[in-house]
Amino acid sequence: MRTLGHPAEKALLVGIELPNQQEPGVTESLEELGELARSAGAAVASHAVQRLQTPTAPFYIGRGKAEELSERCQEGGIHSVIFDDELTPAQSRNLSNVFSRKVLDRTQLILDIFAQRAKTREGKIQIELAQLLYLLPRLTRLWSHLSRQTGGIGTRGPGETQLEVDRRRVQQRIARLHRDLEAVRRSRAVQREGRHRCSWPTLCLVGYTNSGKSTLFNRLTQSEVLVEDKLFATLDPTIRLLQLGGKQRAFLADTVGFIRKLPHDLIDSFRATLEEVKEADLLIHLVDVSDPKVEERIADVRRVLEELDVLGKPSLLVWNKIDRLHGPALLHRLLQRYPGSIGISAWDGSGIEELLSRIGSWSRGRALLFRLRLPVERGDLLARLHREGEPVEVRYRPDGIYVHAWIPAFLQASLAPFILPERGSADSRDASGGTTAGEDGGERPEWAEGFGAAGDSSRNR
Ligand SMILES: Nc1nc2c(ncn2[C@@H]2O[C@H](COP(=O)(O)OP(=O)(O)OP(=O)(O)O)[C@@H](O)[C@H]2O)c(=O)[nH]1
Ligand SMILES: [Mg+2]
């Protein structure tokens, strides 16, 4: 289901300005709507702003204003009118009647972009579901073409109007898509399980759309996922193994970008995809530092993270596109304001080494130093320790292999039977029996300062 997309299609953008309106103002919001329209393939012909006390129930901008703008469309050869908010079903209907041309709202536009971008089966199911959830309350008799499209499959039951038939069909389709998505979720869970078994931590890139997540992903993993100067270039998550130096590795996930007013149905429908964010061990929050509203962007992303219930996860704030800055002042200010954050350019590579080393020390920080005695015949465990942990000392004795090693969190449970009680006082150990990184001669992990919870502003400010 596509609504826009012909390059020559000219659009008028319409927003309202209310008294005491909170940031962002209508101008900025319309600018972003313009970006969305361009990303959907339309050409923005002009903007209109209506100042109101409250949005009017039947026509959103008021009937008089709608009629005036309709004339403007006539004169300017404008094909579609895009409103900066989600319109109610009644408003859409009324405005379509006044304008006699395509009337869209912000939600539909975002859905439209997603529909254009969806390539995989999973992406297509999720977007169709979001579109149908949007459509369902808006079904009227005008939508009877739906039944023609689906061509007499479930014929009308006794006493059912066409509208009821349409609704029933849409509901059936929604139920079907929910079932399909359940299958997708299960298979993603199995893949995740596989990753957990090989046990490297998973890092997930999150951030506002267009902040450069895929560019960074490609640079770090030598991949070639699609990068575009368009909103929502990425829809489906991609996951690759990342080398962190030494023996450290991590899975890195690139995923869909966020945006202010991300439609609810979309978040709901994309839960399967967004589970990669939920299951991640560390969120790398990428911010486009050349965006004049960096701090609002951070807040917008945090709102979505909150909705996904992942604000408590460890996160690393990364300022991207520093190559675009004129002088060091802004970055300097941001680094002070958000301690532990770092500046990079995914495009020219500056700061990447430091980013990798920060991720590496976070990953080591999850490891604990243990003394173990492995049975002599368990060379496989020793091999695994060499592969996934960091042995400090290994001694072969008749009664076993004695190992002193950093053991990552994921390996601790399987090695638990072989862990020796720590010498010295109980104070040198944490609750799980290991010595925390930073003690016992190990370096103090930087993560102790550099990583806050995703929403922990007290830490980041
Ligand atoms: N100058 C500069 N441009 C960058 C940098 N990183 C990314 N870009 C550009 O920013 C645009 C968006 O990059 P993407 O990597 O597609 O951004 P994204 O966050 O994956 O975007 P979505 O998938 O749409 O959410 C592209 O035009 C990139 O070339 C950077 O460090 N410096
Ligand atoms: Mg992307």
Side-chain angles (χ1 to χ4, degrees), residues 209-215 228 232-234 320-321 323 345-347:
T209 174
N210 218 40
S211 54
K213 299 177 296 298
S214 300
T215 309
E228 263 189 306
F232 302 118
T234 306
N320 187 32
K321 309 197 188 180
D323 59 280
S345 165
W347 180 68

Side-chain angles (χ1 to χ4, degrees), residues 212-215 225-227 232-235 254-255 257:
K213 299 177 296 298
S214 300
T215 309
V225 305
L226 177 72
V227 167
F232 302 118
T234 306
L235 263 202
D254 180 26
T255 187

Side-chain angles (χ1 to χ4, degrees), residues 21-35 47 49 84 106 208 260-261 291-294 296-297 300:
Q21 190 158 351
Q22 290 186 337
E23 286 287 316
V26 65
T27 318
E28 196 204 324
S29 196
L30 281 180
E31 256 168 40
E32 186 173 85
L33 190 70
E35 277 305 309
H47 298 90
V49 173
D84 192 28
R106 187 182 245 268
Y208 214 72
R260 183 171 353 113
K261 303 186 195 167
D291 187 323
K293 303 274 178 176
V294 272
E296 278 160 35
R297 293 288 170 267
D300 292 328

